[in-house]
Amino acid sequence: ILYEDDLLAIVGKSPHIAVHEAPNIPRKETLIAQLEAHYAPENITPLLVHRLDVNTSGCLIVAKNPDVAEELEAMFLDEKRSVKKEYIALVRGIVKQKEGEINSPLKGRDGSKVNALTSYEVMHVFKQHGVSLLLIEIKTGRLHQIRQHLAKINHPVVMDDQHGDQEFNRRFHKKTRLKRQFLHAVAVTFTFHGKKYHAKAELFHDLKRTLEILVNTH
């Protein structure tokens, strides 16, 4: 738990855990089940306000009652972009533009095209390894938005097994032993009921170790 008050909690999600159940993922193995067990003694039923992919780590907002969940969900969907969501991603290739924006519609959950906007800035380039480290802000919250948008500009997320470069990923895994996509929700900032919230989640050890390997090898 990165931050907590009577209305909500902001947690740091580990990689390799689903936020909720799916046909091949039983509820007892999910993050929401862990949260329910944690809050059961306080008679609180936690509710997820947004989602992170199984293999994406980092900041996740959890509401402590249905009214708070409804308000926060509306903030995530509004056009004013009230919630600032920042991610760190390692991508294939040398990103030449220091900063940029990807404004390209993606499929919504009902299958129709919806607007999607992602901005990025280059934090570091590892020329000898052919990868770039980006700080990313998403202005919308579409399914796999960052992964799809970066693949569209030919800089897919390293180790992305769905939208990435599989041959590159095999070589990268051999070099670093990284087992999941290099994508981390590093920070979230928003104002709710007149109070400013900000939480930051440190990179998980597997991503830190990967960067150390890149820095120390040529």
Side-chain angles (χ1 to χ4, degrees):
I1 294 174
L2 304 169
Y3 174 84
E4 185 172 23
D5 62 20
D6 292 340
L7 299 177
L8 59 90
I10 304 172
V11 301
K13 176 190 166 303
S14 303
H16 312 303
I17 182 168
V19 292
H20 53 73
E21 64 199 289
N24 59 335
I25 302 166
R27 188 173 181 82
K28 65 182 180 181
E29 294 177 12
T30 64
L31 182 67
I32 193 65
Q34 288 184 10
L35 290 164
E36 285 169 347
H38 175 79
Y39 286 113
E42 299 172 56
N43 203 26
I44 291 169
T45 302
L47 298 157
L48 293 171
V49 175
H50 60 124
R51 310 281 187 267
L52 289 176
D53 297 335
V54 171
N55 290 324
T56 300
S57 52
C59 294
L60 194 68
I61 302 169
V62 181
K64 289 188 173 181
N65 68 60
D67 291 339
V68 170
E70 192 176 333
E71 283 185 73
L72 287 169
E73 284 170 7
M75 284 172 60
F76 268 88
L77 295 171
D78 73 19
E79 291 302 314
K80 291 179 283 187
R81 298 167 188 144
S82 310
V83 182
K84 183 178 183 181
K85 296 166 285 182
E86 294 176 285
Y87 293 74
I88 289 176
L90 190 70
V91 301
R92 187 201 68 189
I94 308 303
V95 180
K96 293 185 170 61
Q97 268 187 293
K98 270 297 185 193
E99 52 186 51
E101 199 169 79
I102 308 161
N103 189 351
S104 178
L106 295 171
K107 269 188 184 178
R109 293 186 188 275
D110 63 356
S112 60
K113 285 287 181 83
V114 287
N115 68 307
L117 184 61
T118 304
S119 63
Y120 67 85
E121 64 176 90
V122 178
M123 299 172 72
H124 190 80
V125 171
F126 297 94
K127 281 188 180 175
Q128 70 274 31
H129 299 291
V131 292
S132 303
L133 191 67
L134 306 182
L135 178 64
I136 293 163
E137 186 181 344
I138 55 171
K139 315 289 189 177
T140 49
R142 311 307 179 199
L143 184 66
H144 296 184
Q145 178 175 322
I146 292 172
R147 296 161 62 190
Q148 290 196 73
H149 268 175
L150 291 171
K152 277 177 182 283
I153 63 167
N154 208 28
H155 291 295
V157 174
V158 166
M159 296 302 295
D160 184 339
D161 61 5
Q162 194 170 344
H163 307 284
D165 178 335
Q166 305 315 319
E167 182 53 44
F168 180 89
N169 289 346
R170 276 191 287 275
R171 295 196 304 272
F172 193 86
H173 172 71
K174 198 172 177 182
K175 186 189 301 179
T176 64
R177 296 298 171 205
L178 182 64
K179 293 178 179 175
R180 53 115 172 182
Q181 64 213 21
F182 197 119
L183 184 60
H184 178 76
V186 68
V188 63
T189 308
F190 58 98
T191 300
F192 187 64
H193 288 204
K195 179 178 176 180
K196 185 166 184 180
Y197 289 82
H198 174 75
K200 194 168 184 180
E202 276 195 33
L203 284 180
F204 270 77
H205 60 86
D206 59 339
L207 303 186
K208 279 185 182 174
R209 188 188 66 235
T210 298
L211 292 181
E212 285 166 6
I213 291 168
L214 296 179
V215 167
N216 295 318
T217 58
H218 300 281

